[in-house]
Each structure stands twice: as structure tokens, then as C-alpha cells.
């Protein structure tokens, strides 16, 4: 098993290097990060422009800039911000806010997807399966921003009707000094908005995988030995059905990150989404690169963890 994990890690490191070079190249080719400053009226003196270019490393060749940036990233130095923002401190505070939303959505979506997928497979083509399928397809069709707006309007009406604030519709709570269990009031609506699409997609994968498992020979053998249907599903079926589901969760992390940017905008969270949009508006390339690299690293790490979990769910993989 250790050799299997070592091989997975050895593959992940080159992937991260290739991703970093691709993203750095795309950002470098996207335009002049000082274009907005140069376009001001009156324009800044050439000496100020040259000073900014030197601070940002724009006066160096492309490959040297990439190597210096990569070395700095490994050491936690994300470079100079055009807006004179401390990138490290901002990332530290905002990353925690966004990961609170993303992890909450992953946990909720995974639990709902497994429950709905397994029940639909056990009741295949029955009335309950049809009802759950309708709910799933509606959830797939609803845009995240529209669902978030609906939830906000519903929460405002509910709060007014009861005369108290049950659900918070603006802010993430952490930047308002809220801690502990009270912060759940800020999380519930954004997590639900972010979960709807992804849970619906995952539940279809679980359903399809579980239907295939139920028809497997080892499941028929377990039933022939006297195990009840639900015992056979729990002991033998679910573990095998979750093998492809682990990959789907890891691959869809990037989709969740994109959905989190929209969700944070709707609910006005000061997380990584707001940080990215502000950097794009100001062409702050070092903030954009730091943002992309952090989530690219997280995506590759999750796929690495998925490969390791594969080895535990199906020992044949780690022993092959």
C-alpha cells in the first residue's frame, strides 16, 4: 500500500508543476497588468511605471519570472500586489471562509447523494424512484445564483413573519465577530444553494453504480447465503458502489469552487470568490495566480486522496 501511495504522490507533483506553468503562461499572455494605471489621465511618469514593472518583475524574461514566482510560492511568498495588499494575510482569512462553505457543501451533497442514490436504486422504476428523479432533475436545472436569490427572499419573509432573525442573508458571520454554533445561521442558505446542483448530479452516479452492483454475482450469492437484501447492500454493495463516486467527488471540486464564487457574490461573503473578482477588476495578476494555484493544488490533492481511498475500498487496485 505504501508503494501505491508513493506512486500516486510521484504523479501528483509533475501534474502540479505543469498546471502552474500553464496558468502562469495564460496570465502572462492575458495582457498588461499595468494597463489601467497607464490609461489614467494624466498618465503617471515613466519612472513610476518602470518602478512598478521592477517591483512586479515584469522587466525580466518570461522563464525567469516563472521560476522566481514558483520559488516564492513554495516559500509562501505570493509576490507584490498592484493594490498594495498583503496577499498572504488576505488568503489566510478568506480561504478559511470559502473552505467553510465548500466543505459544508461537499459533506451535505455527499450524504444526500448517497441516500437518494441508494434508495432510488433499491426502488428502481417505482413511485418513490420517480418522485426522487423529478426532484433531482429540477435541482440540476436550477442555476445557483437564482436559487440563492430565492432562498434570500424566502428567508427575509420568514424572519419578518416570526419577528426574529433565523437565517442570515448577508455576510459570512466570521468577519462580523460571530463564532461557534451561531455561525451556522450564516452558512445554512449558502450551503443549500451550492449543494443543490452537485447533490443532484452525484445522486445519479450513485444510483447507476448501485443498480450495477445489485445485479452482480456476489450480491446474488450473499442473498443465497441467507442475508437480507438491506444487509447485503450494507455489507457488500455500498462499498463497491462508492468506488466510482469517490472519483466524481474529487473531479467536481473545481465545479464547487466555481459555484462558491457565485454563491459568495449572492450572499456577500468576503471569501476567495470576492477576492478573485476584485483582483480581476484591478488586473492584479499575482493575486489571480495565487488564487488559481491554491485551488489547483487542492484539486490535485483531492484526486490524490481519491486514489488512496480507492486502494482501501478496492484492495485489488493497491495490490496490482
Amino acid at each position: 500500500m505504501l508503494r501505491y501511495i508513493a506512486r500516486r504522490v510521484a504523479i501528483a507533483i509533475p501534474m502540479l508543476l505543469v498546471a502552474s506553468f500553464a496558468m502562469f503562461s495564460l496570465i502572462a499572455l492575458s495582457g498588461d497588468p499595468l494597463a489601467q494605471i497607464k490609461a489614467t489621465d494624466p498618465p503617471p511618469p515613466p519612472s513610476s511605471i518602470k518602478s512598478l514593472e521592477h517591483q512586479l518583475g515584469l522587466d525580466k524574461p518570461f522563464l525567469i519570472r516563472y521560476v522566481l514566482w514558483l520559488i516564492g510560492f513554495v516559500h509562501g511568498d505570493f509576490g507584490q500586489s498592484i493594490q498594495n495588499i498583503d496577499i498572504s494575510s488576505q488568503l489566510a482569512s478568506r480561504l478559511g471562509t470559502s473552505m467553510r462553505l465548500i466543505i459544508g457543501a461537499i459533506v451535505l451533497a455527499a450524504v444526500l447523494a448517497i441516500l437518494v442514490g441508494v434508495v432510488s436504486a433499491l426502488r428502481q422504476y417505482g413511485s418513490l424512484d420517480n418522485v426522487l428523479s423529478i426532484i433531482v432533475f429540477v435541482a440540476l436545472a436550477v442555476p445557483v445564483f437564482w436559487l440563492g436569490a430565492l432562498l434570500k427572499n424566502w428567508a427575509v419573509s420568514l424572519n419578518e413573519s416570526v419577528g426574529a432573525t433565523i437565517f442570515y442573508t448577508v455576510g459570512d458571520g466570521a468577519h462580523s465577530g460571530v463564532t461557534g454554533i451561531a455561525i451556522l445561521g450564516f452558512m445554512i442558505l449558502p450551503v443549500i444553494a451550492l449543494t443543490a446542483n452537485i447533490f443532484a448530479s452525484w445522486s445519479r452516479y450513485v444510483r447507476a453504480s448501485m443498480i450495477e452492483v445489485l445485479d452482480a454475482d456476489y450480491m446474488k450469492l450473499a442473498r443465497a447465503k441467507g442475508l437480507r437484501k438491506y444487509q447485503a447492500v450494507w455489507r457488500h454493495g455500498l462499498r463497491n458502489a462508492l468506488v466510482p463516486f469517490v472519483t466524481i467527488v474529487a473531479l467536481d471540486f473545481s465545479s464547487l469552487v466555481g459555484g462558491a464564487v457565485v454563491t459568495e457574490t449572492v450572499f456577500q461573503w468576503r471569501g476567495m470568490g470576492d477576492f478573485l473578482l476584485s483582483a480581476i477588476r484591478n488586473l492584479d495578476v499575482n493575486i489571480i495566480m495565487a488564487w488559481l494555484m491554491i485551488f489547483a493544488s487542492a484539486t490535485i490533492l483531492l484526486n490524490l486522496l481519491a486514489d488512496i481511498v480507492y486502494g482501501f475500498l478496492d484492495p485489488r487496485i493497491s495490490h496490482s
Side-chain angles (χ1 to χ4, degrees), residues 104-122 129 132-133 135-136 139-140 195-211 238 241-242 244-246 248-249 252 256:
I106 289 176
V107 172
L108 180 59
V111 171
L112 291 176
I114 293 172
L115 289 175
V116 172
V118 171
V119 170
S120 294
L122 294 175
D129 180 30
L132 291 175
S133 295
I135 294 173
V136 164
L140 279 172
T195 297
N197 283 154
I198 208 73
F199 127 76
S201 175
W202 290 355
S203 68
R204 304 309 292 176
Y205 284 105
V206 175
R207 179 183 181 275
S209 182
M210 181 57 71
I211 289 174
L238 186 59
L242 290 182
F245 176 66
V246 171
I248 296 301
V249 173
D252 279 349
L256 277 167

Side-chain angles (χ1 to χ4, degrees), residues 41-237:
D41 189 18
S47 59
S48 299
I49 297 296
K50 289 183 179 180
S51 176
L52 280 173
E53 289 177 344
H54 180 71
Q55 291 178 17
L56 296 172
L58 299 176
D59 55 347
K60 297 181 177 64
F62 171 79
L63 289 178
I64 294 178
R65 284 163 50 198
Y66 169 70
V67 172
L68 292 175
W69 174 86
L70 185 61
I71 293 172
F73 179 84
V74 172
H75 291 86
D77 180 8
F78 301 105
Q80 175 71 32
S81 167
I82 295 177
Q83 307 169 72
N84 292 321
I85 294 174
D86 187 349
I87 300 177
S88 299
S89 62
Q90 285 291 317
L91 287 175
S93 62
R94 291 173 179 266
L95 184 60
T97 299
S98 293
M99 291 309 296
R100 181 155 43 91
L101 173 62
I102 294 172
I103 292 174
I106 289 176
V107 172
L108 180 59
V111 171
L112 291 176
I114 293 172
L115 289 175
V116 172
V118 171
V119 170
S120 294
L122 294 175
R123 296 286 187 268
Q124 186 182 5
Y125 303 127
S127 57
L128 182 57
D129 180 30
N130 292 332
V131 171
L132 291 175
S133 295
I134 292 173
I135 294 173
V136 164
F137 288 130
V138 170
L140 279 172
V142 175
V144 174
F145 68 89
W146 187 73
L147 179 59
L150 284 181
L151 289 173
K152 286 182 69 173
N153 290 334
W154 171 80
V156 169
S157 301
L158 178 64
N159 292 339
E160 290 177 350
S161 63
V162 300
T165 302
I166 299 176
F167 299 107
Y168 293 89
T169 58
V170 175
D172 56 82
H175 291 88
S176 305
V178 179
T179 56
I181 195 69
I183 208 165
L184 290 176
F186 290 87
M187 289 184 58
I188 292 174
L189 297 182
V191 167
I192 292 174
L194 185 56
T195 297
N197 283 154
I198 208 73
F199 127 76
S201 175
W202 290 355
S203 68
R204 304 309 292 176
Y205 284 105
V206 175
R207 179 183 181 275
S209 182
M210 181 57 71
I211 289 174
E212 183 179 353
V213 166
L214 291 175
D215 291 333
D217 291 337
Y218 62 84
M219 289 293 290
K220 297 176 182 177
L221 178 61
R223 293 296 306 281
K225 287 183 176 181
L227 283 181
R228 296 179 179 177
K229 184 176 182 178
Y230 295 104
Q231 289 177 324
V233 168
W234 177 254
R235 294 183 185 181
H236 305 286

